[in-house]
Amino acid sequence: MSDPTRAQRIINEHVLWSVGAGLVPIPLVDIAAVTAIQLDMLKQLSTLYGTVYTESEGKAWVSALAGGIAARLGANALKLIPGIGSVVGGAAMSAMSGASTYALGQVAMTQFAAGKGFSAMDLDHAKKAYEEHLAKGKEVASKMAKDKRESKDVFEKLEKLRSLRDQGVITAEDFEAQKQRLLASV
């Protein structure tokens, strides 16, 4: 069959991309980007599990399971409010996008691991499983977004330290000690 660790890596990678795509400040463009990311994830998972993939079946799956477009549009509508709207709406859309991608991936992985393709989906069972994974997906997406921000902060601090070293403000030894401390925190 397939490697569940590899499948989970595919899912996690796409969750991270969805979190980023959910931050796109233009309403509806973010939904299109997240949908494309989800379709790519389904294609990669189906290839990994040896399941036939067609874009039309992928779209039907996304629509059937993640079709709670009202929640997405609600977050999108917030983006239309000048100023704070794009920040609040973007954060809400980002979290929902990551969670939705996670849930969709978990359902697909379970389905494909059982040897079932797109057409063999029990829609009621899949929707229930999607909703269960959605709650966990919110936690996963939030943690991934936080970890990404923290990693970015570490590398920004390293750049500042390098600049201080190059300017002679700190010694090379101080730079190395601080660098090791920061990299250990990643």
Side-chain angles (χ1 to χ4, degrees):
M1 273 288 162
S2 176
D3 177 10
T5 303
R6 174 75 180 122
Q8 195 58 56
R9 255 194 316 266
I10 290 170
I11 294 167
N12 290 346
E13 180 178 279
H14 286 80
V15 167
L16 199 52
W17 290 346
S18 291
V19 166
L23 292 171
V24 172
I26 304 165
L28 301 180
V29 171
D30 53 359
I31 291 175
V34 170
T35 301
I37 290 166
Q38 291 173 339
L39 290 173
D40 181 66
M41 177 184 67
L42 290 176
K43 183 177 181 181
Q44 287 187 32
L45 288 172
S46 65
T47 299
L48 182 68
Y49 283 95
T51 304
V52 176
Y53 172 85
T54 66
E55 191 169 329
S56 61
E57 286 180 316
K59 286 179 180 179
W61 252 54
V62 170
S63 178
L65 297 180
I69 200 80
R72 287 183 176 184
L73 290 177
N76 251 294
L78 286 174
K79 289 183 180 182
L80 297 174
I81 301 169
I84 190 89
S86 62
V87 173
V88 174
M93 182 63 187
S94 176
M96 191 60 189
S97 297
S100 175
T101 300
Y102 177 85
L104 187 65
Q106 295 301 317
V107 172
M109 183 174 63
T110 302
Q111 179 91 358
F112 298 157
K116 298 178 183 175
F118 290 103
S119 59
M121 177 174 61
D122 174 350
L123 191 56
D124 291 332
H125 181 265
K127 282 183 179 182
K128 184 179 178 192
Y130 174 85
E131 291 300 322
E132 290 169 4
H133 289 297
L134 193 60
K136 169 108 167 108
K138 289 176 187 175
E139 294 172 24
V140 169
S142 286
K143 183 177 181 332
M144 285 182 163
K146 181 179 179 254
D147 289 349
K148 187 176 180 182
R149 281 191 306 273
E150 287 174 0
S151 293
K152 183 180 176 192
D153 290 345
V154 166
F155 291 108
E156 286 173 357
K157 288 176 184 175
L158 279 173
E159 285 298 318
K160 288 178 186 175
L161 281 172
R162 184 174 295 122
S163 175
L164 291 173
R165 180 199 62 198
D166 293 347
Q167 294 169 13
V169 175
I170 63 172
T171 67
E173 293 80 22
D174 289 338
F175 170 77
E176 284 302 318
Q178 290 299 319
K179 178 175 104 175
Q180 294 307 316
R181 184 183 61 79
L182 285 170
L183 291 176
S185 70
V186 178

